[in-house]
Amino acid sequence: MSANLQRTPLAGTGGDFSSPVVSYPSYVGGQDVPGDRWVYVLDSGALMDDVFGSLTLKRKLERGEMIPDVLPASVVGRVARADRDTVQKSLEAASDAAARWARFPLEVRLDEMGALLHRSIADHAADIVDVLVQEGHPLALARWQVSGMLHGVSPETISFYRSQMVQEYPHGSRRLLVRRCADGVVCLNPPHNAPLSSAMLGATSLMAGNALVVRAPRSAPLGVMFAMREVVRPVLDKLGAPPGTLNVVCGEPAPMLAAWLKSPLVNDVLYFGDSDRGLDFQNRCVQAGKKPILELAGNDAVVVWKDADLELAAEALTESFFGSGQLCMVPNQVLVHPAVADELLHALVRHIGHIRPGLAREEDVLLSPVLRNEKFFDCLADAKGKGAEVVCGGHAMQADETRDAAGMFLEPTVVLVHGLDQAREVQAVRHETFFPLLPVIVPDPAPDAVLLEQFTAFVNSNAYGLRNSVWAQDPDVVAHFVEEIRQGGLLKVNDSHLGFLPFLPSHGGTGLTGGVFGEANYPILRTSHLQGVSIANGIRPRAAVFGT
């Protein structure tokens, strides 16, 4: 942990804890709310060294079965578990604050907050990276997440938000406004694989004038608490936001989501999760009168045309294996022109040789442990059983890359799928895999005009719709794909699939990715609603109605 991140002694558990760790109570209505039960956070390196021992220690601490005089160095923090009363108070505090915060001028909520939040993220970048690494994110990917946070509140992106939040048009003696108004109380349920960065994404809903309640997940609560309390809260305090504008509580998802749905105080729920549960939750939200904003699974497609820069395309495709594929926005399937398929595969295998496992804190590590790998091997067997060929990988391994069935890592694996007609019968093509397995689909040879239509139809028929990307040089081919690929929240051409950019969304999509209301996800826009306003002076109502 970097020197900038303060560690405070534990207190209030009945034991004499002399080992300092980061300790966060619930944060409700601008106040710390202590709890009598805690979630303990262990360093990811300790988990790799001894998974069973570390998880046993965590379980005993959380159950109160052991209260040591000194905590092991592997324990880096703890977060209070919110009880039912604390959860209810967080909703009440948000409801009390929402209307008052929404009255703050847009210049304050958006322009000033955006600039202050950008500066706060930059100032805390080293600490954010440190917390992410402790949670198990490889160092390079922790830095990538920080870059996304900065782009999300960059001056360019804030200027785009400004253009969308209010527009004014003179019309005779009238002023006509089209503006977005805050929905009210927004509740945020981040995912277990990237809770900190997802919470920071959701925090931009504050700029619309909403009040926010964030659930810090029990699987990784420390990063969410740190980001909300040390990065976002000081910005709100500096702006004079009312207490309750931001609230952060840790707890189990099911009872907290149920409380949010039941409460008449909640307007929107920003939900991250898998598609099956997410779509079910969408229906529950609608029945309860809440707006569901879903961030679910991705199954991103990459198209590689015959004139693509194959070296750059292969380099971009290795992003599929970053974090061992446990990121929703990595490439999940590749559709390659048959004329260059062999050359692309050779280049891809060569680039994969630089993707290595190891401790999260090591500079060049990009693979993360996969604690349960049986689904990987089931999916691989399914692909092979349906005619796919294993190009590389296919085994578990240790951190030193030695193949070992008991290893915590999986080799980056590429399978070759022949033909489009049956490709979607392969599980790894049909659904998000969430591990390092990349299917490369090679259609049967056909005229380019036919292949263009086949490629476009295949991408658009994907049930998911987060990101898609295309590698091609011919301007007419590029124009065809840009015009015809309308499925998904983001389309990138000849670019990193994962890289963040100003103006453009980092999340959001269609189909099984975003549900029936899915689209590119700018939380400031998704958690607000359009309203038209006419301000007249000296207008005769009858004349306005009948034109006389």
Side-chain angles (χ1 to χ4, degrees):
M1 183 170 291
S2 73
N4 295 331
L5 187 55
Q6 298 299 312
R7 295 166 64 86
T8 56
L10 291 173
T13 61
D16 179 19
F17 285 87
S18 59
S19 176
V21 299
V22 177
S23 183
Y24 284 121
S26 299
Y27 182 68
V28 175
Q31 302 292 324
D32 288 339
V33 179
D36 56 3
R37 300 179 66 189
W38 298 87
V39 176
Y40 288 83
V41 181
L42 276 62
D43 181 76
S44 61
L47 286 168
M48 279 188 60
D49 290 339
D50 182 5
V51 175
F52 179 78
S54 296
L55 294 179
T56 299
L57 170 65
K58 176 179 169 64
R59 183 170 58 252
K60 288 183 176 180
L61 286 170
E62 292 179 357
R63 290 178 177 177
E65 295 173 2
M66 61 180 297
I67 305 179
D69 291 334
V70 178
L71 282 172
S74 59
V75 178
V76 296
R78 69 172 189 172
V79 173
R81 289 184 60 179
D83 58 21
R84 184 179 303 176
D85 183 59
T86 301
V87 171
Q88 176 60 28
K89 287 180 178 177
S90 71
L91 300 179
E92 293 170 358
S95 180
D96 288 343
R100 287 181 288 159
W101 172 237
R103 295 189 191 105
F104 277 58
L106 186 61
E107 290 77 11
V108 174
R109 289 188 281 105
L110 180 55
D111 302 322
E112 291 186 32
M113 182 176 178
L116 289 172
L117 191 55
H118 189 275
R119 188 177 311 140
S120 185
I121 294 169
D123 289 345
H124 289 88
D127 287 333
I128 296 172
V129 168
D130 198 30
V131 173
L132 287 169
V133 169
Q134 285 183 338
E135 290 182 343
H137 299 261
L139 180 60
L141 296 183
R143 292 169 178 158
W144 163 73
Q145 290 182 63
V146 172
S147 76
M149 298 173 204
L150 289 168
H151 278 303
V153 289
S154 67
E156 300 92 337
T157 304
I158 294 298
S159 71
F160 167 71
Y161 292 157
R162 196 70 161 80
S163 71
Q164 300 298 301
M165 291 301 291
V166 61
Q167 297 181 50
E168 181 171 340
Y169 306 94
H171 182 68
S173 58
R174 296 180 177 91
R175 289 172 54 217
L176 304 182
L177 305 177
V178 180
R179 67 182 183 184
R180 300 197 71 93
C181 302
D183 288 341
V185 174
V186 176
C187 293
L188 169 62
N189 179 69
H192 67 86
N193 64 310
L196 190 160
S197 57
S198 300
M200 288 299 294
L201 172 72
T204 58
S205 64
L206 292 165
M207 296 178 184
N210 299 294
L212 183 63
V213 178
V214 182
R215 183 186 77 87
R218 286 195 60 195
S219 57
L222 190 60
V224 171
M225 278 290 183
F226 172 78
M228 295 298 100
R229 297 184 57 135
E230 312 298 341
V231 180
V232 178
R233 182 182 70 168
V235 170
L236 293 172
D237 289 346
K238 190 166 186 176
L239 295 174
T245 302
L246 174 66
N247 308 272
V248 196
V249 289
C250 175
E252 296 283 0
M256 201 170 297
L257 291 171
W260 293 349
L261 291 179
K262 183 179 180 181
S263 174
L265 304 176
V266 175
N267 299 95
D268 301 351
V269 181
L270 181 49
Y271 177 96
F272 292 75
D274 67 67
S275 292
D276 289 341
R277 290 193 182 97
L279 294 179
D280 176 69
F281 184 73
Q282 170 184 264
N283 296 334
R284 294 168 61 197
C285 277
V286 172
Q287 290 172 2
K290 318 298 181 188
K291 181 195 287 186
I293 304 167
L294 305 181
E295 282 293 339
L296 309 178
N299 190 16
D300 296 8
V302 180
V303 169
V304 181
W305 196 245
K306 68 178 184 180
D307 64 346
D309 185 321
L310 297 181
E311 281 297 313
L312 294 181
E315 182 180 321
L317 291 177
T318 63
E319 296 170 7
S320 172
F321 308 110
F322 290 2
S324 292
Q326 297 173 112
L327 301 168
C328 64
M329 57 183 66
V330 299
N332 276 118
Q333 53 186 297
V334 185
L335 191 58
V336 58
H337 194 292
V340 295
D342 289 343
E343 189 177 351
L344 177 70
L345 286 170
H346 286 305
L348 178 57
V349 171
R350 187 173 67 254
H351 280 282
I352 286 173
H354 301 288
I355 307 294
R356 60 173 294 262
L359 294 172
R361 70 178 70 96
E362 295 175 7
E363 190 72 36
D364 58 346
V365 164
L366 285 170
L367 292 175
S368 303
V370 180
L371 298 182
R372 299 190 63 180
N373 60 27
E374 61 272 11
K375 290 185 178 180
F376 167 82
F377 290 107
D378 290 345
C379 195
L380 183 59
D382 172 83
K384 292 163 65 176
K386 292 171 180 170
E389 302 173 27
V390 177
V391 177
C392 65
H395 297 84
M397 61 179 174
Q398 296 289 353
D400 62 1
E401 301 185 65
T402 301
R403 285 182 172 176
D404 183 346
M408 296 179 63
F409 295 91
L410 294 169
E411 293 176 337
T413 301
V414 176
V415 296
L416 176 60
V417 179
H418 297 281
L420 284 179
D421 291 343
Q422 308 301 320
R424 285 257 161 79
E425 293 184 5
V426 177
Q427 183 181 341
V429 176
R430 188 175 185 84
H431 295 295
E432 180 187 51
T433 54
F434 226 61
F435 33 72
L437 174 60
L438 179 65
V440 177
I441 307 161
V442 182
D444 296 329
D448 284 351
V450 174
L451 288 172
L452 268 177
E453 296 300 327
Q454 289 179 344
F455 277 33
T456 303
F458 190 85
V459 173
N460 284 332
S461 65
N462 186 359
Y464 300 80
L466 182 54
R467 298 181 175 206
N468 295 303
S469 58
V470 171
W471 288 85
Q473 296 296 324
D474 185 325
D476 291 335
V477 172
V478 170
H480 172 86
F481 284 124
V482 170
E483 176 64 26
E484 297 297 329
I485 296 178
R486 302 182 183 182
Q487 175 257 26
L490 183 66
L491 173 63
K492 302 182 81 174
V493 180
N494 299 326
D495 203 347
S496 161
H497 194 86
L498 280 178
F500 296 108
L501 292 167
F503 302 110
L504 299 184
S506 60
H507 290 70
T510 54
L512 297 179
T513 294
V516 295
F517 307 107
E519 61 177 332
N521 191 354
Y522 301 94
I524 184 175
L525 305 181
R526 298 292 304 281
T527 60
S528 57
H529 54 275
L530 282 170
Q531 184 186 63
V533 178
S534 171
I535 303 173
N537 183 27
I539 295 293
R540 296 187 66 86
R542 186 177 294 274
V545 174
F546 297 111
T548 59

